[in-house]
């Protein structure tokens, strides 16, 4: 949540420590090198709500086609290729299986912990012991919140929040540290159970997406980072590219586990989180979500017989109207359009105020662990006071005589008519929505054929309360999702609108609640296709399709007129350099060659380089890729004098690997193939990490040589210096690049084969405008977006 918008990449330079510890100090318009306006920038961002500042890098999604990679692919037999394909499908199956099991565990735990807690509270209320009832629910909620918050604050700060913005960043090509390990997975599971059971205004949907991605990452790397399993078949996935596909499967499985929506989960991954997509990935994500649905359905059938305590419907289906005939007329288009407009306006307002709240929370979170815990406990106590106290403001309503024998009023368990403090034959409509689990509240407010169940005063109180809770709860140091709070807010105003429009329309109030919830989600998150499918799979009724589509499209269009989606706002607050799909219009007025002129001189290496030169370059720069240029080559035509060849790009990690293995040559010569294969494997080159400070090189070794040709990616992506920045940015994003080399428009002997190198940071609007202030006028007020 720190307002950093800059991340170091291949051309970044280390910033002083005193700048790192001042997270409120803007670096948007300050050039990194004091004597020269450049595109280099800070390498600090925040990963996870309440987490510390982290140095982050980009991911290597590009295939590194060096000699070792080519040799590895040539040596693979048909059996190896089939094993690779089978492994992908096996991992997709395991991701779905484990995500489904974890989702079932979370639902079982939440329904039972929250359910038994509320049953005790109801007993106190029936005995008129209201103070004891409040003390019990407040203390229970505080303890559950404390468990969730302590785990997040002390063990895994990246487990706080939904995790979806960081997942979007990862799939966009940004390495988000400590996001997908075993500790965040454990904390996310236990923390979600504690936070949701505590009655906080948050959902388990966002955390389930993060949990699915953690499972996918751990399976792909064979376990935790410090104790991975070294199985031979896992070597295929020891790279960023294949791990990206696994995490995409994990994200779709998480959404499916949250809503029991397999197609919606696939479309959510495609529309909302994934930057890279292809047909093979579509099939595997669909397979993963199908496995999740089978697991959830099996457990629901098993639990229907009462084997799972209070877990019955489990919150997995919130609004099933498959047997209801939904009818509407042409005149109903007016309230549908109104719902869409209100959803877009309220969604953008929610984004705006949540942005302000998160900035305030950031100041609190920076003060240490204790303020984070106190903030979480304060929100929990306020929530308990409102949940228990507000129902006393509502008037008791008489039960319908026809429902007296069908569970009205309800004294415990599930039901639409909670007795609370009312006499026999009466129920408290506000307690029906507040003294219950969040999933049960959604089912109650979505219920159809209940036009007289909720009074407009109670619905208004409920709406105002959840607007406040939705703003102050998201951002505390517990796992939290945005889906459920927005659904509750939207359904409340939908019911209110349904009561107002009842004389003029045939649409049921429950359908108004569904449409309003969809509109508010579209207005805040700006999802369209995936959101529509998720709601259709929740309702099991295709008759809702036309009006749901209209509502979502209107809400998204209205919301886009005011501000970005909530996830984009969080990405920017965290300083994660997410590359948008659409470049700014003014980016067509500047070329990549002009960008290269505002960057420091490119650091290149020779194909056969001295060890001392490599050590010097690694110590004095933070570049992650170095062009390899051979001077004096003989061209096919012309004179060999001063002719230069761009051989490719060598990665920093590979240079450090060479120094660690001390693969040095006594004389300046090309290494033989057998020498390379004897010292390196393709698995060695897939390893990440390592620092130059960890390497020790003697004075004599400094005078030796390294042949970089076998380790160099000979097919890096290049663009001509005359290409517009807009076109280069689209290419960079769609291909998932980390480096893009700029070559001259005219190539001849005596002309250097390289103009410059671009990275993610160089293509961000903030950084370009800092180096080209004259573009300010054309950029207008779109500086941050």
């Amino acid at each position: 949540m720190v307002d950093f918008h800059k991340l170091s990449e291949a051309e970044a330079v280390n910033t002083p420590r005193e700048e790192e510890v001042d997270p409120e100090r803007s670096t948007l318009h300050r050039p990194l090198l004091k004597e020269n306006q450049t595109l280099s920038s800070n390498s600090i961002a925040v990963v996870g709500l309440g987490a510390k500042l982290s140095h982050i890098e980009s991911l290597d999604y590009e295939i590194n086609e060096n000699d070792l990679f080519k040799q590895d692919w040539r040596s693979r037999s048909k059996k190896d290729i089939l094993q690779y394909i089978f492994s992908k499908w096996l991992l997709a199956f395991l991701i779905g299986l484990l995500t489904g099991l974890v989702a079932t565990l979370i639902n079982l735990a939440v329904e039972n912990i929250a359910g038994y807690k509320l049953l005790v509270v109801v007993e106190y209320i029936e005995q008129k012991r209201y103070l004891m009832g409040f003390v019990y629910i407040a203390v229970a909620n505080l303890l559950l919140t404390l468990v969730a918050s302590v785990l997040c604050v002390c063990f895994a700060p990246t487990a706080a929040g939904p995790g979806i913005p960081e997942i979007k960043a990862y799939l966009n090509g940004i390495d988000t540290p400590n996001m997908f390990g075993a500790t965040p997975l454990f904390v996310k599971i236990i923390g979600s159970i504690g936070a949701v059971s505590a009655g906080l205004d948050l959902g388990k949907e966002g955390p389930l997406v993060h949990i699915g991605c953690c499972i996918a990452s751990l399976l792909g790397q064979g376990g935790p980072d410090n104790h991975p399993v070294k199985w031979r078949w896992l070597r295929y996935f020891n790279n960023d590219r294949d791990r990206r596909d696994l995490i995409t499967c994990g994200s779709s499985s998480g959404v499916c586990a949250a809503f029991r929506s397999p197609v919606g989960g696939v479309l959510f991954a495609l529309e909302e989180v994934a930057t890279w997509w292809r047909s093979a990935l579509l099939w595997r994500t669909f397979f993963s979500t199908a496995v999740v649905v089978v697991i959830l359905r099996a457990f629901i059938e098993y639990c229907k017989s009462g084997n799972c305590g209070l877990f019955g419907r489990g919150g997995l289906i919130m609004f099933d109207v498959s047997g209801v005939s939904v009818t509407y007329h042409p005149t109903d288009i007016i309230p549908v359009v109104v719902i869409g407009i209100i959803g877009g306006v309220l969604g953008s307002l929610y984004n705006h105020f949540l942005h302000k709240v998160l900035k305030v929370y950031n100041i609190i979170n920076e003060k240490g662990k204790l303020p984070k815990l106190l903030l979480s406990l304060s929100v929990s106590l306020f929530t308990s006071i409102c949940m228990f106290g507000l129902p006393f403001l509502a008037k008791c309503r008489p039960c319908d005589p026809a429902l007296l024998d069908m569970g009205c009023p309800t004294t415990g368990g599930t039901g639409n008519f909670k007795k609370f403090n009312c006499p026999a034959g009466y129920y408290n409509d506000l307690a029906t929505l507040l003294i219950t689990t969040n999933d049960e509240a959604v089912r109650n407010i979505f219920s159809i054929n209940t036009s007289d169940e909720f009074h407009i005063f109670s619905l208004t109180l409920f709406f105002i309360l959840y607007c406040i809770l939705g703003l102050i709860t998201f951002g505390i140091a517990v796992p939290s999702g945005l889906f459920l709070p927005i659904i509750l807010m939207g359904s409340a105003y939908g019911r209110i609108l349904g009561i107002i429009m009842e004389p003029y329309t045939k649409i049921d109030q429950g359908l108004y609640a569904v449409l309003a919830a969809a509109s508010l989600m579209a207005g805040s998150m700006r999802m369209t296709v995936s959101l529509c499918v998720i709601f259709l799979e929740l309702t099991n009724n295709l008759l809702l399709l036309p009006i749901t589509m209209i509502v979502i499209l209107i809400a998204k269009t209205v919301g886009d007129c005011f501000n970005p989606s909530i996830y984009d706002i969080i990405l920017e607050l965290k300083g994660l350099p997410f590359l948008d799909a659409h470049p700014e219009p003014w980016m067509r007025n500047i070329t990549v060659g002009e960008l290269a002129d505002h960057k420091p001189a490119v650091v290149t290496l020779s194909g056969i380089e001295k060890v001392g030169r490599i050590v010097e370059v690694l110590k004095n720069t933070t570049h992650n890729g170095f062009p390899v240029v051979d001077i004096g080559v003989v061209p096919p035509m012309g004179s060999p004098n001063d002719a230069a060849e761009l051989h490719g790009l060598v990665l920093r990690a590979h240079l450090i690997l060479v120094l660690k293995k001390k693969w040095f040559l006594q004389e300046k010569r090309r290494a033989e193939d057998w020498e390379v294969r004897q010292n390196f494997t393709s698995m060695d080159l897939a390893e990440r990490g390592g620092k130059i400070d960890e390497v020790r090189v003697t004075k004599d070794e400094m005078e030796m040589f390294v042949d970089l040709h076998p380790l160099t990616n000979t097919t890096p992506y290049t663009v001509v210096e005359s290409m517009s920045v807009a076109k280069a940015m689209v290419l960079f994003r769609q291909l998932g690049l980390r480096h893009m080399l700029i070559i001259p428009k005219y190539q001849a002997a005596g002309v250097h084969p390289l103009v410059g190198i671009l990275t993610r940071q160089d293509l961000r609007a903030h950084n370009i405008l800092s180096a080209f202030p004259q573009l300010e006028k054309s950029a207008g007020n779109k500086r941050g977006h």
Side-chain angles (χ1 to χ4, degrees):
M1 294 177 293
V2 182
D3 195 13
F4 280 115
H5 303 275
K6 300 199 171 185
L7 170 75
S8 72
E9 242 310 334
E11 276 62 65
V13 180
N14 285 330
T15 52
R17 182 64 188 169
E18 59 268 21
E19 292 186 7
E20 296 178 14
V21 298
D22 186 7
E24 292 302 312
R25 185 177 175 187
S26 175
T27 60
L28 293 182
H29 314 299
R30 186 178 69 250
L32 191 63
L33 299 181
K34 305 299 182 184
E35 72 280 3
N36 186 20
Q37 273 196 330
T38 72
L39 291 167
S40 300
S41 51
N42 208 322
S43 62
I44 301 174
V46 174
V47 181
L49 290 174
K52 294 181 179 180
L53 301 179
S54 301
H55 289 270
I56 57 179
E57 300 288 351
S58 291
L59 296 164
D60 293 303
Y61 287 153
E62 181 184 354
I63 295 177
N64 199 332
E65 291 187 338
N66 52 38
D67 291 348
L68 283 169
F69 173 84
K70 295 173 184 177
Q71 174 63 29
D72 180 58
W73 273 98
R74 284 194 298 265
S75 63
R76 289 189 184 183
S77 62
K78 191 173 182 180
K79 177 184 175 182
D80 291 330
I81 296 174
L82 290 175
Q83 185 184 38
Y84 174 56
I85 297 173
F86 173 77
S87 299
K88 283 187 172 183
W89 286 96
L90 177 61
L91 287 176
F93 170 78
L94 292 175
I95 290 168
L97 174 67
L98 295 177
T99 305
L101 291 174
V102 171
T104 304
L105 169 67
I106 292 176
N107 277 280
L108 280 169
V110 168
E111 293 289 316
N112 282 285
I113 294 173
Y116 284 114
K117 176 191 70 177
L118 293 173
L119 285 177
V120 175
V121 173
V122 169
E123 287 183 10
Y124 280 122
I125 293 173
E126 289 179 347
Q127 299 169 10
K128 307 297 182 181
R129 299 171 65 187
Y130 299 121
L131 180 60
M132 283 299 300
F134 169 72
V135 171
Y136 179 85
I137 193 172
V139 172
N141 289 344
L142 281 172
L143 290 176
L144 290 169
T145 304
L146 182 65
V147 171
S149 191
V150 166
L151 287 174
C152 288
V153 170
C154 299
F155 298 99
T158 54
I164 293 178
E166 289 86 352
I167 295 167
K168 285 187 66 172
Y170 184 92
L171 296 178
N172 192 253
I174 305 163
D175 186 16
T176 48
N178 305 317
M179 272 300 295
F180 305 115
T183 304
L185 173 62
F186 173 78
V187 172
K188 203 82 175 186
I189 295 173
I190 305 301
S192 295
I193 293 173
V196 177
S197 301
L200 295 173
D201 184 23
L202 46 83
K204 53 186 177 291
E205 295 78 18
L208 275 173
V209 178
H210 189 189
I211 287 169
C213 293
C214 288
I215 291 172
S217 179
L218 291 171
L219 286 174
Q221 67 187 23
D225 292 330
N226 49 351
H227 298 292
V229 177
K230 297 293 184 181
W231 286 339
R232 182 176 178 274
W233 61 275
L234 282 176
R235 74 185 191 277
Y236 299 129
F237 304 97
N238 194 21
N239 61 82
D240 294 334
R241 188 181 181 88
D242 282 309
R243 198 164 295 164
R244 170 185 61 185
D245 291 352
L246 293 176
I247 288 178
T248 304
C249 287
S251 66
S252 60
S253 298
V255 173
C256 177
F259 296 106
R260 211 173 74 180
S261 172
V263 180
V266 175
L267 292 176
F268 176 84
L270 171 61
E271 178 184 10
E272 188 65 21
V273 297
T275 298
W276 168 269
W277 200 265
R278 62 182 186 279
S279 58
L281 184 58
L282 177 69
W283 281 105
R284 282 197 296 277
T285 54
F286 187 66
F287 177 59
S288 294
T289 56
V291 174
V292 174
V293 167
V294 171
I295 297 297
L296 295 178
R297 171 58 67 181
F299 272 93
I300 288 175
E301 293 299 324
Y302 174 75
C303 292
K304 279 183 178 178
S305 57
N307 298 319
C308 305
L310 296 180
F311 178 80
R313 293 142 78 185
L316 297 174
I317 278 286
M318 291 188 288
F319 184 52
D320 189 344
V321 292
S322 55
V324 178
S325 177
V326 181
T327 59
Y328 37 85
H329 300 85
T331 55
D332 294 330
I333 193 67
I334 297 175
V336 168
V337 171
V338 171
I339 290 174
I341 294 174
I342 295 176
V345 173
L346 288 180
S348 58
L349 281 174
Y350 178 75
N351 292 357
H352 173 76
F353 287 114
L354 186 60
H355 186 188
K356 305 297 183 185
V357 172
L358 291 179
K359 282 187 173 182
V360 175
Y361 278 9
N362 175 65
I363 299 173
I364 298 174
N365 289 333
E366 286 169 1
K367 296 184 181 298
K369 294 180 179 180
L370 184 59
K372 293 181 187 179
L373 294 174
L374 292 177
L375 176 62
S376 300
L377 296 177
S378 300
V379 172
S380 175
L381 182 60
F382 176 76
T383 302
S384 299
I385 293 172
C386 293
M387 295 292 186
F388 190 86
L390 287 181
F392 289 99
L393 300 179
K395 293 182 178 179
C396 294
R397 298 170 64 82
C399 290
D400 189 330
L403 298 175
L404 289 175
D405 296 331
M406 300 175 61
C408 180
T410 305
T411 57
T414 61
N416 276 36
F417 305 96
K418 295 294 178 66
K419 183 180 178 182
F420 196 64
N421 61 331
C422 297
Y426 288 78
Y427 73 96
N428 189 310
D429 58 345
L430 191 53
T432 300
L433 299 175
L434 294 180
I435 308 297
T436 185
T437 62
N438 288 338
D439 291 336
E440 184 69 20
V442 173
R443 282 193 291 270
N444 292 340
I445 203 167
F446 275 4
S447 57
I448 58 175
N449 299 324
T450 54
S451 58
D452 298 324
E453 179 179 344
F454 301 104
H455 192 271
I456 192 168
F457 173 76
S458 299
L459 289 170
T460 303
L461 270 181
F462 181 82
F463 174 69
I464 295 173
L465 172 64
Y466 269 86
C467 285
I468 296 172
L469 293 179
L471 290 173
I472 67 173
T473 306
F474 186 81
I476 64 175
V478 296
S480 58
L482 278 169
F483 286 90
L484 198 67
I486 292 177
I487 288 175
L488 286 169
M489 283 187 285
S491 58
Y493 93 75
R495 275 272 180 179
I496 294 171
L497 192 61
I499 293 174
I500 296 173
M501 298 295 294
E502 187 175 14
Y504 312 103
T505 180
K506 300 293 184 181
I507 300 178
D508 189 273
Q509 288 182 20
L511 298 185
Y512 267 106
V514 174
L515 295 176
S519 73
L520 191 59
M521 288 184 70
S524 176
M525 299 180 179
R526 310 297 153 77
M527 295 158 52
T528 52
V529 180
S530 58
L531 180 61
C532 183
V533 172
I534 286 173
F535 268 83
L536 286 180
E537 290 181 299
L538 283 176
T539 59
N540 289 334
N541 198 324
L542 281 174
L543 294 174
L544 287 175
L545 178 61
I547 52 178
T548 304
M549 292 175 64
I550 294 172
V551 160
I552 289 174
L553 287 172
I554 293 175
K556 183 189 184 303
T557 303
V558 172
D560 284 337
C561 296
F562 297 101
N563 50 32
S565 75
I566 185 61
Y567 292 134
D568 290 339
I569 290 174
I570 295 173
L571 279 169
E572 187 162 335
L573 282 172
K574 289 174 175 293
L576 295 169
F578 187 85
L579 284 184
D580 294 318
H582 305 290
E584 300 288 351
W586 51 264
M587 287 184 176
R588 301 199 178 277
N589 301 330
I590 184 174
T591 66
V592 293
E594 292 174 299
L595 283 189
D597 292 339
H598 280 70
K599 290 174 61 65
V602 180
V603 178
T604 62
L605 297 173
S606 299
I608 302 174
E609 189 62 85
K610 287 187 68 172
V611 174
R613 163 71 174 163
I614 294 175
V615 172
E616 177 191 3
V617 165
L618 292 177
K619 285 188 174 181
N620 295 329
T621 69
T622 57
H623 299 22
N624 291 293
F626 301 90
V628 176
V629 177
D630 286 326
I631 307 295
V633 297
V634 179
M637 297 179 62
S639 169
N641 294 332
D642 298 328
E645 175 193 54
L646 176 61
H647 186 73
L649 187 79
V650 65
L651 297 180
R652 182 186 191 88
H654 295 170
L655 294 176
I656 293 176
L657 181 65
V658 167
L659 297 179
K660 282 184 175 181
K661 285 181 172 286
K662 295 188 180 295
W663 186 60
F664 307 144
L665 303 173
Q666 295 289 343
E667 64 275 358
K668 191 174 183 178
R669 64 174 178 85
R670 294 288 291 265
E672 301 292 337
D673 289 344
W674 64 268
E675 292 180 288
V676 180
R677 292 196 298 271
Q678 189 178 41
N679 290 276
F680 298 97
T681 66
S682 59
M683 290 185 66
D684 292 333
L685 300 187
E687 294 290 341
R688 298 194 61 184
K691 298 179 180 178
I692 185 59
D693 297 335
E694 301 170 357
V695 179
R696 296 291 178 264
V697 182
T698 65
K699 187 175 181 180
D700 292 337
E701 290 171 339
M702 288 284 196
E703 300 302 319
M704 300 174 74
F705 297 90
V706 175
D707 182 12
L708 298 178
H709 293 97
L711 308 178
T712 301
N713 177 12
T714 56
T715 58
Y717 285 94
T718 60
V719 294
V720 181
E721 60 180 331
S722 57
M723 178 181 287
S724 71
V725 172
K727 192 172 182 180
M729 187 190 125
V730 172
L731 182 67
F732 193 98
R733 184 183 188 274
Q734 289 180 345
L735 295 175
L737 303 182
R738 185 174 189 177
H739 308 99
M740 177 182 284
L741 304 185
I742 307 172
I743 59 175
K745 188 173 183 180
Y746 303 101
Q747 301 182 13
V751 176
H752 199 277
L754 187 68
V755 173
I757 182 171
L758 293 180
T759 61
R760 171 180 300 271
Q761 274 306 106
D762 304 326
L763 296 172
R764 299 207 71 216
H766 289 106
N767 301 337
I768 297 175
L769 290 176
S770 67
F772 294 88
Q774 66 272 20
L775 294 173
E776 291 268 2
K777 189 177 296 185
S778 59
N781 293 324
K782 296 182 179 180
R783 178 181 302 278
H785 313 296

